[in-house]
Amino acid sequence: MRILFVATIGETHRGFLKGQIQFLQERGFEVHLAASPGLALSECGEWPGVQVWGVPMSRKTLAIKDISAFFRLAVLFHKINPDILHLSTPKAAFLGSVASVFLRNTRKIFFVRGCITGAQRGWSKNANRYAETLTAKLCDEAIAVSHSLDRK
């Protein structure tokens, strides 16, 4: 079974997944990680049996770069054809959920570790809240790490 974890930056994978990779591999998972290229993603690539994929993404909203990341993710998803797509971090989860709509046999999971709309106001807060809602609706499951995030 093939699982692909997608986050905006490699530090997310390095910080949250290191202890889980071996567990998944022992249960037959082929593990892939996608994030922006950088030192943290390269370090993840040194973990035994893990394949990493550099997909440039910005944590900020930058239309041209976001469109590029969207298409790169769509191509990567088609290439890997994961059984499970694990999306985390707001930007990667949004782009990944939209890019994954044509993955018919893939279980899509949105793992909510934080909320970017807390300190925002006005149109940016509304736009980000809509993006989070759309991401959750496009995924088969949304898992929040706390009750406060689950209520949002």
Side-chain angles (χ1 to χ4, degrees), residues 3 6-7 21 23-24 28 32 38 40 59 69 71 75 88 110 115 130:
I3 186 168
V6 182
I21 299 298
F23 176 86
L24 290 167
H32 297 259
R59 295 173 85 182
F71 283 110
V75 168
S88 65
F110 176 28
C115 180
Y130 174 76

Side-chain angles (χ1 to χ4, degrees), residues 10 13 41 56 83 90 96 101 116 128 134 139 148 150:
H13 296 320
L41 186 63
D83 298 292
V101 295
I116 62 171
N128 283 318
L134 179 60
C139 291
S148 61
D150 196 30

Side-chain angles (χ1 to χ4, degrees), residues 16 27 43 50 61 73 88 108 114 117-118 134 138 145 150:
F16 289 110
R27 281 145 186 83
E43 289 174 5
V50 173
T61 303
L73 286 170
S88 65
K108 297 174 248 349
T117 59
L134 179 60
L138 290 173
V145 298
D150 196 30

Side-chain angles (χ1 to χ4, degrees), residues 54-125:
V55 179
M57 285 181 267
S58 172
R59 295 173 85 182
K60 298 177 182 178
T61 303
L62 303 168
I64 298 299
K65 289 187 179 184
D66 291 347
I67 291 169
S68 173
F70 165 80
F71 283 110
R72 287 175 187 250
L73 286 170
V75 168
L76 179 63
F77 296 167
H78 180 72
K79 180 177 184 173
I80 295 174
N81 193 23
D83 298 292
I84 299 172
L85 182 61
H86 182 287
L87 303 164
S88 65
T89 67
K91 172 65 75 67
F94 174 70
L95 294 174
S97 66
V98 176
S100 73
V101 295
F102 298 110
L103 294 175
R104 297 188 190 276
N105 296 323
T106 299
R107 181 150 180 83
K108 297 174 248 349
I109 300 169
F110 176 28
F111 201 77
V112 186
R113 289 192 175 100
C115 180
I116 62 171
T117 59
Q120 295 177 335
R121 293 193 173 134
W123 71 269
S124 64
K125 181 174 185 165

